[in-house]
Structure formats: C-alpha cells, structure tokens
C-alpha cells in the first residue's frame, strides 16, 4: 500500500498510536517508524499524517511537547497518553479479531463451504 488512503478507515490512527507507544516521536519520525515497522510496505503521506496527529491530540489520545530533532531542528514530539493506551489496546483487540476473520475467509477451501 503506497498511500494512507489505501488503508482501512481508522487504521492510520491505530498505526500512529502504536508508533508513539514505542517512544516519543516527532511527526516525520512517526511516518518513518510506521514505514520501518511495516517493512516498507506502508508509505504514509504527510498530508494524511499531520491531520491525524492533530485529531488524535484533540481527542486526548496523544500529547505533544516541543524539543529538538536529530538534526537539531525544533520539532513537536508526540507521546501516548493513558487514554491513548486504552484506545490502542482496544483497537489492537478489534484488529486481531478482524485479521483472524479475514484470514479464515481467505484460507477457506471449496470443500469447507
């Protein structure tokens, strides 16, 4: 999937929550972390990422503080809030159930129907 628009509705938010659950990240770092964890399959566009970060922060699922990036530029770093942790856990559970159901359908054989 080369664009976040290819992702299922709501999946981008879950991926962002997962990325920042592993440690504070600036916006571009979130994008890189998702790309890295997906083994370069997912390529989230900045035009999708930043509105999602704003939405998640407005919902109280992530919080931000200003700091310095690796190249010493001023950047906003995002971290998961306790509410965000609960949301991520809930989303993870739903995702696991959905992924299992899709896998069951895709693995079915004609003789099983």
């Amino acid at each position: 999937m080369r664009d976040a628009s290819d992702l299922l509705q709501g999946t981008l938010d879950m991926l962002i929550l997962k990325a920042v659950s592993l440690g504070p990240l600036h916006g571009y770092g979130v994008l890189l972390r998702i790309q890295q964890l997906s083994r370069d399959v997912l390529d989230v566009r900045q035009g999708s990422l930043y509105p999602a970060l704003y939405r998640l922060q407005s919902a109280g699922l992530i919080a931000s503080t200003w700091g310095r990036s690796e190249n010493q530029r001023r950047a906003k770093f995002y971290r998961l809030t306790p509410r965000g942790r609960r949301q991520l856990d809930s989303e993870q559970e739903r995702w696991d159930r959905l992924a299992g159901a899709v896998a069951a359908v895709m693995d079915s054989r004609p003789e099983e129907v």
Side-chain angles (χ1 to χ4, degrees):
M1 285 183 234
R2 302 307 303 170
D3 189 317
S5 63
D6 292 341
L7 298 174
L8 294 172
Q9 182 81 22
T11 304
L12 178 58
D13 290 358
M14 179 181 62
L15 295 174
I16 292 170
L17 292 175
K18 180 60 179 183
V20 299
S21 77
L22 302 173
L25 293 166
H26 54 77
Y28 189 68
V30 172
L31 185 148
L32 293 176
R33 175 71 51 87
I34 292 170
Q35 187 175 359
Q36 171 196 26
L37 293 173
S38 72
R39 296 182 184 100
D40 294 321
V41 173
L42 301 176
D43 182 24
V44 178
R45 305 292 167 107
Q46 290 184 28
S48 298
L49 175 69
Y50 288 100
L53 288 169
Y54 179 79
R55 183 175 59 254
L56 291 169
Q57 187 170 4
S58 294
L61 302 176
I62 60 175
S64 66
T65 55
W66 286 98
R68 295 275 173 194
S69 66
E70 304 79 34
N71 59 5
Q72 297 306 308
R73 292 192 174 163
R74 189 168 184 251
K76 194 182 273 193
F77 284 78
Y78 298 92
R79 63 176 172 74
L80 198 61
T81 64
R83 183 175 177 191
R85 167 56 64 194
R86 290 188 301 274
Q87 180 70 24
L88 176 58
D89 291 346
S90 175
E91 291 294 326
Q92 178 75 54
E93 188 177 305
R94 278 194 287 262
W95 178 260
D96 290 344
R97 206 169 43 247
L98 174 64
V102 170
V105 170
M106 296 307 294
D107 291 340
S108 64
R109 303 287 176 243
E111 61 275 2
E112 296 174 2
V113 180

